[in-house]
Amino acid sequence: MALALSLGQRGQGACWPNPAVGCVIVRDGRIVGRGWTQPGGRPHAEPLALAQAGEAARGATAYVSLEPCSHYGKTPPCAEALIKAGVARVVSAIEDSDPRVAGQGFAMLREAGIEVTTGVLAEQAARDHAGFFLKTEQGRPFVTLKLASSFDGRIATSSGHSQWITGPKARRAVHAMRARHDAVMVGAGTARADDPSLTVRDLGIEAQPVRVVISRHLDIPLMSQLARTASEIPVWLCHGPSPDAERARAWEGLGARLIPCALREHHIDATDLLQQLGQAGLTRVFCEGGSALTASLLEEDLVDELVGFSAGLTIGAEGLPAIGSLGLESLDAAPRFELIETRAIGPDVLHRWARALR
């Protein structure tokens, strides 16, 4: 199952809106087939692993990181494929929360006389599939918030200078994290100040994440890197109800997708923003700032994981804080997360924090 989960992780960021599933076929103690959800969501993991196993799948055990699907979509049910292949046993990590499945895949297998075992490494599977489950159950994607800051929590000097606070190894780690998300998201201020490309570079991947920019008025330069590459790599602009019509036409002409969002106190409503992204199919979003967008997500309790890169330098109180105002008067109201990983990345420190899965 650990191998099935690791295989499934290979599909993260490339198979949305489908879940990133891994499958391992074992017969007589030997792995005879492996598969994971392919880019675009098809083929699914189980048919790939079964095709690799061939006749060796008959009487074998299939380890699957998520309940096999039971409904007809653009492909036949994976539960049906396992039955036709003649597997004797299916071991699954966790039940699918999609109402089209939700235990029906297991029921199909049991009715066909296949032994079904569930709950193996379920906690890890719940984290791996958290984005798909959130989209299914709450209509929004999983949100990873990344902050790269000085030791004293600043992301730039008072003049706005921010390149580079962290070192090359930390930046490469960020690219690897981008690759495992469906989209990379920033606010308009970051897009204007840094002119980022928001792409995954130097890792040899083919499928780039969607670039999402939150801009109420679409006031992002039309000669920016995002604008120049919008026809090649998706750019989604989340804007307010009444954007500048001329700018809207210009961005659409460049190939960008415009997504209207509701406002809350003159700013894009973070809850509605994520609902819109969920409706568009996204399951995992990697947010890279800036401070106002970060604060709005934290205020609305919409951050599922924090990833921090802390550098060994100090900038001082005049520097730009990593997180904007949260209006807290008591520590009891502060968002809290649980430490799940810490390690050195070159001269910097990586720390990951997650909240308990709901």
Side-chain angles (χ1 to χ4, degrees), residues 86-355:
V87 302
R89 182 179 179 226
V90 171
V91 180
S92 181
I94 196 169
E95 182 177 302
D96 192 343
S97 65
D98 188 327
R100 296 172 298 175
V101 185
Q104 296 176 66
F106 293 150
M108 282 180 64
L109 295 169
R110 291 187 173 109
E111 287 170 8
I114 296 173
E115 179 186 350
V116 176
T117 301
T118 63
V120 178
L121 298 184
E123 184 176 345
Q124 179 60 51
R127 293 204 178 275
D128 285 0
H129 297 301
F132 178 72
F133 290 163
L134 278 170
K135 186 176 76 68
T136 299
E137 298 165 15
Q138 299 183 27
R140 72 165 180 89
F142 183 95
V143 175
T144 301
L145 176 60
K146 186 273 292 183
L147 298 171
S149 64
S150 62
F151 178 79
D152 54 342
R154 305 290 157 167
I155 58 174
T157 65
S158 58
S159 66
H161 186 223
S162 63
Q163 295 182 337
W164 296 100
I165 288 177
T166 54
K169 290 186 177 180
R171 297 197 293 274
R172 185 173 178 82
V174 168
H175 282 267
M177 291 176 182
R178 286 179 179 178
R180 288 182 55 185
H181 287 75
D182 309 341
V184 178
M185 180 170 71
V186 298
T190 298
R192 289 191 296 267
D194 297 345
D195 189 22
S197 65
L198 302 181
T199 54
V200 177
R201 299 183 291 280
D202 301 325
L203 295 181
I205 73 160
E206 294 182 7
Q208 288 284 346
V210 174
R211 284 93 54 86
V212 177
V213 182
I214 317 307
S215 176
R216 178 184 173 183
H217 300 292
L218 297 178
D219 49 349
I220 306 162
L222 292 168
M223 291 302 293
S224 63
Q225 291 194 69
L226 291 169
R228 293 198 301 269
T229 59
S231 63
E232 305 160 16
I233 304 169
V235 172
W236 294 2
L237 301 179
C238 299
H239 58 82
S242 304
D244 181 271
E246 185 176 343
R247 281 187 169 272
R249 285 193 297 270
W251 276 104
E252 286 181 324
L254 291 170
R257 175 175 178 175
L258 271 56
I259 300 177
C261 298
L263 298 182
R264 176 180 293 186
E265 297 179 355
H266 309 294
H267 299 286
I268 297 291
D269 185 310
T271 298
D272 185 63
L273 160 69
L274 291 187
Q275 288 293 317
Q276 298 297 333
L277 295 180
Q279 288 180 26
L282 298 183
T283 65
R284 291 168 55 83
V285 171
F286 192 66
C287 180
E288 298 195 44
S291 60
L293 175 58
T294 296
S296 67
L297 291 169
L298 288 167
E299 277 186 308
E300 297 301 317
D301 193 27
L302 295 171
V303 176
D304 302 291
E305 183 172 307
L306 292 175
V307 175
F309 290 90
S310 296
L313 79 161
T314 57
I315 294 176
E318 67 274 23
L320 181 66
I323 300 172
S325 174
L326 292 176
L328 297 176
E329 296 183 359
S330 167
L331 285 178
D332 293 337
R336 287 189 181 271
F337 296 80
E338 177 185 347
L339 183 64
I340 57 175
E341 180 186 9
T342 180
R343 58 189 168 98
I345 304 286
D348 307 309
V349 175
L350 162 68
H351 43 112
R352 291 176 57 226
W353 306 75
R355 62 176 174 181

